[in-house]
Amino acid sequence: MVAFYASSGDIYSATTIFSTVSDHSPLLFNAVIRALALYKYSHQTLTVFNEMVMLGYLGDNFTYPFVLKACSELKVVKFGEVVHGLCLRSGFDRDLYVGTSLIDMYVKCGGLDLARKVFDEMRVRDVSSWNVLITGCMKEGLVDYAEGLFKRMGDRNIVSWTTMISGYSQNGLADKALRLFDRMLGEDVDVKPNWVTVMSVLPACAQVGALDLGRKIHGFAKEKGLDSHPSVKIALMAMYGKCGSLAEARLCFDSVGLDKKNLVAWNTMITAYAAHGCGVDAVSTFEDLLRAGMQPDDITFTGLLSGCSHAGFVDVGLNYFYSMREVYFVEPKYEHYACVVDLLGRAGRLGEAYDLVHRMPISAGASIWGALLAAGRKHKNLEIAELAAKKLFVLEPENSGNYAILSNMYAEAKMWEEVNNLRAQQKSKGVKKSPGGTWLEIDGRPHLFLGGGTSHPRAEEIYMFLDTLPDKMKAAGYVPDTGFALHDVSEEEKEYNLITHSEKLAVAFGIISTNPGTVLRLTKNLRICVDCHTVMKFISRIYEREIIVRDVNRFHHFKDGHCSCGDYW
DNA sequence: ATAGGGTTAG
């Protein structure tokens, strides 16, 4: 009876009857522990297990996997260690399932060293044991170690491949993720990708902005009947959003039935609108969410507020922010304050932004000082920028971008001594300039361009194109904005530094190597600079091209000499 | 009986 209720998920009935039985057999304990763990009543699982141990029964190979699952769920390594000790005493630690569950528990509780120790000491291992450890390594960023395990393991199943692919995606190695997905299809014919596999490879497309490749994978999913799963559709939405195709993201969103539209789906759509600067759509989607009877969460509000920020809807955004707690019962967190500081700062209300930083109940961190620094730069407020930058030099000393911004502002103000001091400071701390890079997708293949790079096979043509550009642009009314070039060098040299920015190289290659009218899609690892932004506008008009640039935090759609951001970014 | 997953501001 208990087992029947337990397996059907009626935990209440199962535990009620369980408590009326006076003579608990090990079998009965196992049934209840299994049910409680599977339905994530983790505390209760441990309570019942404890009761069992008190009665002198130490548990067997059917008890431990579920007790350990409860420990993993709670993420308390201390509990896990106690249970591990009991495993050893009971002698069931030698069991394959118990061993694998131990590894999983240590991985989920953040004890990778202990997980590796258990793995090394196991006498029998199966695919799952290897897979669990690979997951742990990927989570901790030990990509090389995970690769070693993957290479060494005897037989790999679809979970092994999927784990590697999603691990690469999570560690920002989109290239490797995409290549492994390909290799899996070609090499291991016995392995059948499922919906989780599709979901794991999509973030890699998103990372490098590989729209065509993403579409191909969408087609592949359709062909295999894997595209109807709501989670796959959500991953597709995110991919399309991050690859610059809002329309396709919206199509996926609409194809999820209203009853299956969970909060993640809504949040993804709102976030996509926000990244594209479509404030009106972000707000109206938020209102649709409320009408659909959903309860927004903290992520909904980060999307909504950043949407308002990117679109310049300062007061609308502030209103939402102030009503979060009372109207929507969502406690404003750090990231919401960061959005509001950005919202105010971007709009030039630096005083209010700075006030907020001091009034907030949470202390400001890197993203908030980063927002203030960006605001200081945009509105040429050196005082605020200096203040924010000094905080950032302490909080994220390795981030060269912060040095660059302040240094550029000093240069603009012709404060050469400060420029030199800053450069010396940067050098003494060993901060390396992070190279600018831009991806351009051509025929479904992403091409990488690095700032100042000359290694491209068609570098000569690219530079030739860029060399002739200024004259064409000057004829159309262009004045290069060299104010923020890093060095105190001649005007001409500054112009040259600007010319070698990676997005210019990429757009040049795009223009000379694709048919007229082809939309150019660029993905950048830094923020786009003012001069590149201006150049893109001119190129879109002179060459009649639509150019879509994704920089680190938003999209710019250039068309006929204008940008969708309205120069507000 | 154990394993892989989607949304987060600068």
Side-chain angles (χ1 to χ4, degrees), chain A residues 24-299:
Chain A
H24 292 145
S25 71
L27 217 68
L28 195 54
F29 268 118
N30 279 357
V32 169
I33 287 175
R34 174 178 186 269
L36 288 172
L38 286 179
Y39 289 92
K40 300 194 176 163
Y41 292 88
S42 308
H43 278 290
Q44 289 92 322
T45 310
L46 297 186
T47 310
V48 173
F49 174 67
N50 187 45
E51 240 173 79
M52 188 184 86
V53 174
M54 292 303 176
L55 289 173
Y57 174 51
L58 273 186
D60 59 21
N61 52 329
F62 289 90
T63 325
Y64 283 107
F66 297 106
V67 177
L68 289 165
K69 190 183 173 60
C71 297
S72 318
E73 196 70 38
L74 295 170
K75 294 191 178 25
V76 183
V77 75
K78 276 270 167 261
F79 293 166
E81 278 169 344
V82 171
V83 176
H84 189 177
L86 291 165
C87 278
L88 292 167
R89 258 174 61 194
S90 71
F92 282 101
D93 61 305
R94 288 280 166 218
D95 180 76
L96 170 63
Y97 286 86
V98 175
T100 304
S101 300
L102 276 168
I103 301 173
D104 183 52
M105 180 276 295
Y106 281 125
V107 160
K108 295 215 168 96
C109 296
L112 187 59
D113 288 342
L114 292 166
R116 266 157 67 169
K117 192 159 174 280
V118 174
F119 179 84
D120 289 337
E121 286 170 3
M122 273 172 93
R123 277 189 300 211
V124 202
R125 304 182 189 108
D126 70 357
V127 204
S128 301
S129 326
W130 291 84
N131 290 349
V132 173
L133 191 61
I134 292 177
T135 307
C137 293
M138 285 299 201
K139 244 184 211 132
E140 298 294 319
L142 301 175
V143 179
D144 293 344
Y145 198 85
E147 280 175 342
L149 291 169
F150 185 71
K151 229 173 252 168
R152 266 165 49 211
M153 67 194 294
D155 44 5
R156 303 169 187 132
N157 61 12
I158 186 58
V159 178
S160 324
W161 290 95
T162 304
T163 306
M164 285 302 290
I165 293 168
S166 72
Y168 281 141
S169 297
Q170 282 160 15
N171 284 287
L173 301 164
D175 247 26
K176 287 195 163 196
L178 296 171
R179 272 207 301 271
L180 194 65
F181 181 73
D182 249 7
R183 208 187 112 195
M184 175 189 75
L185 296 180
E187 190 174 295
D188 209 334
V189 281
D190 296 331
V191 142
K192 265 205 171 64
N194 56 28
W195 64 272
V196 186
T197 318
V198 173
M199 259 184 48
S200 305
V201 72
L202 288 172
C205 300
Q207 260 176 51
V208 295
L211 179 61
D212 280 341
L213 193 58
R215 283 181 182 140
K216 261 185 213 152
I217 291 168
H218 188 176
F220 170 86
K222 234 182 237 168
E223 194 186 296
K224 306 276 177 198
L226 303 170
D227 65 324
S228 53
H229 200 292
S231 296
V232 171
K233 290 193 173 173
I234 293 167
L236 283 167
M237 282 167 60
M239 181 276 292
Y240 282 126
K242 288 186 177 148
C243 290
S245 180
L246 261 182
E248 281 160 291
R250 181 74 208 196
L251 280 176
C252 291
F253 179 70
D254 289 336
S255 75
V256 184
L258 201 59
D259 53 322
K260 296 226 168 98
K261 236 172 227 159
N262 58 19
L263 193 57
V264 180
W266 288 99
N267 288 353
T268 307
M269 197 63 235
I270 291 171
T271 306
Y273 281 132
H276 286 263
C278 302
V280 177
D281 300 287
V283 168
S284 73
T285 306
F286 174 74
E287 294 295 335
D288 289 344
L289 171 157
L290 296 176
R291 269 194 292 279
M294 301 290 294
Q295 164 70 37
D297 70 357
D298 48 338
I299 294 173

Side-chain angles (χ1 to χ4, degrees), chain A residues 386 406-407 410-411 413-425 486 488:
Chain A
E386 248 179 343
L406 188 61
S407 171
Y410 282 145
K414 304 210 184 307
M415 296 161 70
W416 305 121
E417 209 183 306
E418 282 80 357
V419 172
N420 287 331
N421 284 343
L422 207 55
R423 203 183 294 160
Q425 200 185 330
L486 262 175
D488 45 333

Side-chain angles (χ1 to χ4, degrees), chain A residues 508-550:
Chain A
F509 182 65
I511 297 281
I512 60 179
S513 61
T514 59
N515 295 325
T518 309
V519 178
L520 298 178
R521 294 172 184 279
L522 279 61
T523 305
K524 219 185 122 53
N525 68 342
L526 303 170
R527 239 181 64 123
I528 188 167
C529 84
V530 183
D531 186 69
C532 286
H533 195 263
T534 310
V535 167
M536 295 291 168
K537 288 196 280 187
F538 273 98
I539 292 183
S540 76
R541 187 160 80 213
I542 299 171
Y543 294 92
E544 295 178 13
R545 290 288 191 118
E546 203 176 326
I547 305 167
I548 300 173
V549 179
R550 176 180 123 190

